[in-house]
Amino acid sequence: GGERRRAFAALSDLVIRFAERQPPSTKLVPRLYIARCTMAPGSWLQRGETIANPFYAERMKTCGEIVGSIESATER
């Protein structure tokens, strides 16, 4: 599981950086939240503020904290 988690962490970091540069449309989601778990190897994006840890979905689904957010872009 550790190898998969590290691969997911790298992908997740790319997704966060991309979303920061190109925020999603407000039609999709009003705001994305950046969450982080010190036990997991990284951060992830999620739609709501309730922690849904993708690294430990079964054992520690609620482990983590919101560390930032990305406001969606309104269509021009």
Side-chain angles (χ1 to χ4, degrees), residues 12-53:
S12 193
D13 285 344
L14 282 175
V15 170
I16 291 169
R17 285 205 294 274
F18 180 76
E20 285 172 337
R21 287 199 199 102
Q22 293 282 323
S25 161
T26 48
K27 287 183 190 143
L28 285 175
V29 60
R31 178 179 290 274
L32 286 173
Y33 293 90
I34 304 168
R36 178 166 188 82
C37 169
T38 53
M39 302 281 292
S43 306
W44 65 92
L45 281 178
Q46 53 176 53
R47 283 171 168 258
E49 290 186 78
T50 304
I51 295 294
N53 189 327

